[in-house]
Amino acid sequence: MNIITIKNYINGTLVMPTSGQYLDVYNPATGAVYAKAPDSDAHDVQLATEAAQQAFPVWSKMSAEKRSKLLLKIADGITANFEKLALAESIDNGKPLSLARTVDIPRSASNFYFYATAVMHHASESHFMEEGAINYTLRRPIGVVGCISPWNLPLYLFTWKIAPALAAGNCVVAKPSEITPMTAYLLSEICIEAGLPPGVLNIVHGLGGKVGQAITEHPSIPVISFTGGTSTGAHIASTAAPKFKKLSLELGGKNPAIIFADCNYETMLKTVARSSFSNQGQICLCGSRIFVERPLYEQFKADFVAEVNKLTVGDPLNEASNLGAVVSEAHLKKVLSYIELAKEEGGMILTGGKRIQVEGICKNGWFVQPTVIEGLPFDCRTNQEEIFGPVVSIMPFDTEEEVLRYANSTQYGLASSLWTENLSRANRMAEEIKTGIVWVNCWMLRDLRTPFGGMKNSGVGREGGWEAFRFFTEPKNVCVKYGT
Ligand code: NAP
């Protein structure tokens, strides 16, 4: 097999890591190495930062219109390479090609379209004073910003940071997950093709402990936007906080789906199957704790298990596969260990619970059956810790107060979904539930203008819309007195 060699994108060119060292990149569906990614280090981060610093004066002062046009070209480049990117994402991550086509790649293009056009409409606040003065808020780009992203939605989350950072006039040093580096590499080719000036965006591939750490520590990178696990986020915060860096942390979740007996049953059933197992349960927004009002519980249990049993796990490139492989062997082991833990904690596996061997070229791939567990208390480890795989736990409840207590019991507070036709209850619950995103009678319905992020240990700050613009700019109050 022809092994693809990924390169860093520094100062407008594709370059080898200075160490000359590479990391293996695996295809999760076959378990085989199919590419090599740079094993970069602090020296590469230094080169990328210097390039970004040099590019900043011109990029930050470029008219919004010109910047917008360049970013639109990148968006068009993503669209033009749609099939190539979708295939690459599927091979790199193990996700079904159909999902990469319908979610990951369209959304990556949208991220660029959205922020490329937003910058044309950006306005900042002004405050009039009766004393004869006016304050205006001058929002200027900050400088070189660091963007670090995870493996679950590789290009989608990478562009969700980069697009607003660039649109606001910053230069970027970015690190995709070393587990899924391919589409970030293809994006660097698209940026070159689009004519993005050298140094405006730099992509340094490699390990979190080396490249990510070097970005976080670098004295000339005063802003870090990070998406990943809560413990990595805590580590980044402890490194960045004493340096007074601006931080956006989008972290883990353990999201509740709350189903009341009066819900629209058919829509709920189909959507909850999707919110449980989309991307093999490896979306930070997936609902892994499913609470069902007791009168509906037995019916839901039977129908949900039947629905889950219809899902096909298989070769991600096969149109018929609903679930592909989980991202790595280490992650496979983690997911399976949580299924074992669930059994030890008294859980009953209603369906799934095992690794699957898929016939043919995927026989060594990392596949797990979609798994539904019942009989676990809300406060056991299985129901409190993030598994981030195709594993959900179902539990009955009797009252609103009770289910709110269950839902709010974890350290996390990212997203929740509520299923009820009772509008008053939906709004009451939405106010009380401690998550940054509440979906009522839907899931993953995303409007890019809305604030995105979590409460508690799910993160600090919000992405999306003007929130991201505000994050990536430094506000300055200018007070002009014109009266005597
Ligand atoms: P992770 O292990 O925390 O890694 C995320 C990124 O941080 C990767 O690029 C990683 O590099 C890098 N990294 C690791 N150690 C670092 C360090 N010391 N300094 C700087 N960077 C470092 O998370 P993951 O396993 O890739 O992703 C899964 C997690 O992300 C889950 O917890 C999920 O809930 C969360 N997530 C949250 C959201 C959200 O919006 N809230 C969205 C998606 C995912 P390596 O790959 O080389 O380790």
Side-chain angles (χ1 to χ4, degrees), residues 98-281:
S98 56
L99 188 72
R101 278 188 183 133
T102 49
V103 176
D104 295 75
I105 307 308
R107 174 58 195 278
S108 305
S110 296
N111 289 340
F112 269 100
Y113 284 124
F114 181 82
Y115 281 107
T117 48
V119 68
M120 299 294 290
H121 304 272
H122 186 238
S124 62
E125 314 88 292
S126 72
H127 301 88
F128 167 77
M129 295 172 78
E130 278 70 20
E131 289 88 336
I134 186 132
N135 293 275
Y136 64 89
T137 306
L138 187 62
R139 287 192 179 274
R140 297 299 298 146
I142 304 171
V144 181
V145 309
C147 297
I148 303 173
S149 57
W151 49 257
N152 64 324
L153 300 167
L155 191 63
Y156 173 140
L157 291 174
F158 197 58
T159 51
W160 184 228
K161 299 183 176 306
I162 289 169
L166 294 177
N170 301 282
C171 293
V172 174
V173 175
K175 187 198 105 58
S177 170
E178 131 270 340
I179 300 167
T180 53
M182 188 56 79
T183 47
Y185 171 56
L186 297 176
L187 180 70
S188 38
E189 293 183 338
I190 290 168
C191 291
I192 294 171
E193 180 90 354
L196 190 69
V200 168
L201 170 64
N202 304 273
I203 301 176
V204 185
H205 296 271
L207 296 167
K210 280 157 89 174
V211 176
Q213 187 71 21
I215 291 173
T216 313
E217 284 176 359
H218 202 290
S220 303
I221 304 183
V223 182
I224 305 288
S225 173
F226 169 80
T227 298
T230 293
S231 59
T232 316
H235 175 77
I236 288 176
S238 70
T239 309
K243 299 177 194 297
F244 304 106
K245 296 195 178 202
K246 202 172 181 186
L247 274 180
S248 164
L249 302 173
E250 301 297 335
L251 310 177
K254 187 77 180 175
N255 309 309
I258 302 175
I259 301 165
F260 286 94
D262 69 351
C263 68
N264 178 327
Y265 191 74
E266 288 308 315
T267 309
M268 177 279 295
L269 196 63
K270 294 247 171 309
T271 314
V272 172
R274 204 162 55 81
S275 69
S276 302
F277 299 115
S278 230
N279 205 33
Q280 299 74 249

Side-chain angles (χ1 to χ4, degrees), residues 401-424:
E401 295 70 29
E402 181 193 6
V403 77
L404 267 173
R405 188 161 60 84
Y406 294 168
N408 289 338
S409 67
T410 72
Q411 61 164 315
Y412 299 109
L414 187 52
S416 55
S417 51
L418 300 173
W419 292 92
T420 176
E421 291 295 293
N422 180 332
L423 192 60
S424 305

Side-chain angles (χ1 to χ4, degrees), residues 252-310:
K254 187 77 180 175
N255 309 309
I258 302 175
I259 301 165
F260 286 94
D262 69 351
C263 68
N264 178 327
Y265 191 74
E266 288 308 315
T267 309
M268 177 279 295
L269 196 63
K270 294 247 171 309
T271 314
V272 172
R274 204 162 55 81
S275 69
S276 302
F277 299 115
S278 230
N279 205 33
Q280 299 74 249
Q282 301 166 137
I283 300 181
C284 54
L285 307 166
C286 279
S288 53
R289 295 179 296 146
I290 303 174
F291 300 105
V292 187
E293 203 175 10
R294 200 174 300 274
L296 193 67
Y297 185 79
E298 289 303 327
Q299 184 192 347
F300 171 81
K301 178 170 124 180
D303 293 344
F304 185 59
V305 168
E307 199 66 29
V308 174
N309 286 340
K310 285 188 218 156

